[in-house]
Amino acid sequence: MIIVMNENATVAQLGQVIKVLEERGLNPRPNHGSARTVIGIMKASDADLSGVAELPGVDEIAPLNSSFKMVSKDFRSEPTVINVGGAEVGGREFVVMAGPCGVESTEQLMSTARQVKASGGRVLRGGAYKPRTSPYSFQGMREEGLKILAQARAETGLPIVTEIISPELVPLVARYADIMQIGARNMQNYALLEAVGRERKPVLLKRGLMSTIEEMLLAAEYLMSGGNAQVMLCERGIRTFEKATRNTLDLSAVSVIKQLSHLPVIVDPSHAVGHVAYVADMCRASVAAGADGIIIETHPNPAVALSDGQQSLTFDAFDDLMTSLRPIAQAVGRPMIEPSGES
Ligand code: PEP
Ligand code: MN
């Protein structure tokens, strides 16, 4: 079981609850998030906990029937809806996040931002810090890239999602980002999860290349138990024996996560399939599978992109994709905003 304290529970109230639990031999294990404390109890009957829900400062008592707690539907039965610059991720709308893999120049990002907006995208993506497999590959424009992202937001009004690759960078990147992205390679970087968990900003947590759904939910648990409730989970493909695609898109993860958790699920078909030929089909499949949104790569000239050009859609292909997504989203009761058409 877990005993969830109110956000404004006092230290004295918490102490009183722990004292009562200890007196009943229940070995309480408090977990102090910055927003609230959750007390775990490994074994307890209803009789053991009688009266505890009524103690001052207690919000609720929830069953603990899985290894994760706060991300679980047992903890919160309503879907979590995260407001990002007016878009409600996890609400009715199907939200499209798009942009280049990496910020490469002002011109490249501004033209992409205008296109994303014109086609009905809701969030602009762009990495300023790039975790690359090879140390000789483009590592990102770093702080200069963050400034360009801020400029694109100022011009288009699109909120930005950008990756944080290390705990030391959290204060800097969090100042610019509307959504802090934790990349696949960092899903189990616990120091980073703890640092991002202390922030009060939405997070996009990507599934590790070789991580199970449960491991992703436990990584999200780090963020939530640290006090950051605004977590979106991202299925971005996992490594399998199949070589025809960069990774294997595990679309069933969308359904599984929806059964287990209240958190919104975003699919990243670009990194999953790794080739433009398959991206659009998997975007359409993601809508039908019940995802809350997608994050995709688009570039003004994919042939010269400094990273992930092979999986980046041209602007025309992106616009066509958006047109094809709208009726599917409508059919599954997840409308998208109309494109502004101004680029
Ligand atoms: C990215 O989104 O550019 C990225 C590096 O993705 P992932 O962490 O899923 O590989
Ligand atoms: Mn990329």
Side-chain angles (χ1 to χ4, degrees):
M1 300 292 255
I2 49 172
I3 294 150
V4 184
M5 301 299 291
N6 284 322
E7 280 199 25
N8 40 20
T10 63
V11 175
Q13 288 171 340
L14 175 65
Q16 179 60 22
V17 174
I18 289 174
K19 183 163 169 272
V20 168
L21 297 170
E22 277 172 349
E23 281 168 1
R24 297 182 189 184
L26 295 174
N27 188 22
R29 295 208 247 159
N31 184 349
H32 304 282
S34 2
R36 50 164 100 205
T37 298
V38 174
I39 307 166
I41 305 277
M42 287 312 125
K43 271 195 208 133
S45 64
D46 286 351
D48 286 337
L49 291 173
S50 75
V52 173
E54 286 73 45
L55 291 174
V58 173
D59 189 1
E60 63 167 330
I61 300 185
L64 169 56
N65 45 23
S66 56
S67 54
F68 40 87
K69 305 169 193 164
M70 299 181 80
V71 305
S72 153
K73 271 194 172 166
D74 293 339
F75 180 74
R76 184 187 155 91
S77 53
E78 294 293 298
T80 287
V81 179
I82 302 173
N83 189 304
V84 186
E88 305 232 295
V89 181
R92 256 195 98 218
E93 184 185 335
F94 185 78
V95 174
V96 176
M97 310 183 186
C101 178
V103 180
E104 298 171 3
S105 68
T106 304
E107 160 56 28
Q108 171 244 19
L109 192 75
M110 296 309 281
S111 62
T112 311
R114 289 182 202 117
Q115 183 62 50
V116 169
K117 167 112 185 187
S119 298
R122 283 295 232 162
V123 177
L124 177 67
R125 65 150 288 149
Y129 293 86
K130 297 300 309 168
R132 303 304 300 281
T133 305
S134 163
Y136 307 117
S137 300
F138 173 60
Q139 302 287 317
M141 291 181 74
R142 301 179 174 163
E143 190 165 356
E144 206 188 326
L146 295 174
K147 290 186 178 148
I148 298 173
L149 283 163
Q151 197 184 329
R153 172 177 48 206
E155 195 197 294
T156 60
L158 290 174
I160 55 185
V161 53
T162 195
E163 183 165 353
I164 304 186
I165 58 173
S166 67
E168 310 77 70
L169 287 169
V170 172
L172 174 70
V173 181
R175 255 198 284 132
Y176 288 91
D178 298 287
I179 304 175
M180 305 175 288
Q181 177 176 328
I182 296 180
R185 289 157 192 79
N186 273 315
M187 191 204 83
Q188 288 181 310
N189 178 339
Y190 299 112
L192 181 60
L193 293 172
E194 281 172 8
V196 171
R198 284 191 287 272
E199 293 294 320
R200 293 292 169 272
K201 267 206 171 165
V203 191
L204 181 77
L205 175 67
K206 299 189 92 177
R207 181 175 180 183
L209 279 73
M210 286 170 279
S211 298
T212 63
I213 294 168
E214 187 180 28
E215 285 163 347
M216 172 159 60
L217 291 169
L218 284 166
E221 188 79 24
Y222 267 85
L223 297 166
M224 287 197 73
S225 62
N228 193 337
Q230 300 186 77
V231 182
M232 306 166 210
L233 301 168
C234 180
E235 164 56 41
R236 49 78 72 210
I238 48 175
R239 189 166 273 191
T240 68
F241 53 80
E242 182 51 68
K243 290 189 178 152
T245 49
R246 181 175 178 181
N247 294 287
T248 297
L249 177 58
D250 180 10
L251 260 191
S252 52
V254 177
S255 292
V256 175
I257 295 166
K258 289 281 172 194
Q259 291 290 325
L260 298 175
S261 177
H262 52 86
L263 297 175
V265 185
I266 305 295
V267 176
D268 175 349
S270 306
H271 291 87
V273 298
H275 196 283
V276 275
Y278 318 122
V279 170
D281 286 342
M282 291 306 103
C283 290
R284 289 185 283 264
S286 302
V287 185
D292 296 295
I294 48 175
I295 179 164
I296 38 181
E297 292 183 338
T298 177
H299 190 283
N301 185 357
V304 300
L306 297 181
S307 60
D308 286 349
Q310 75 293 342
Q311 66 194 35
S312 300
L313 302 178
T314 61
F315 289 172
D316 282 349
F318 173 65
D319 195 56
D320 288 348
L321 166 64
M322 294 295 278
T323 305
S324 76
L325 286 178
R326 242 171 235 110
I328 304 172
Q330 196 69 43
V332 295
R334 305 296 299 271
M336 293 163 61
I337 56 154
E338 287 306 314
S340 76
E342 294 158 24
S343 61

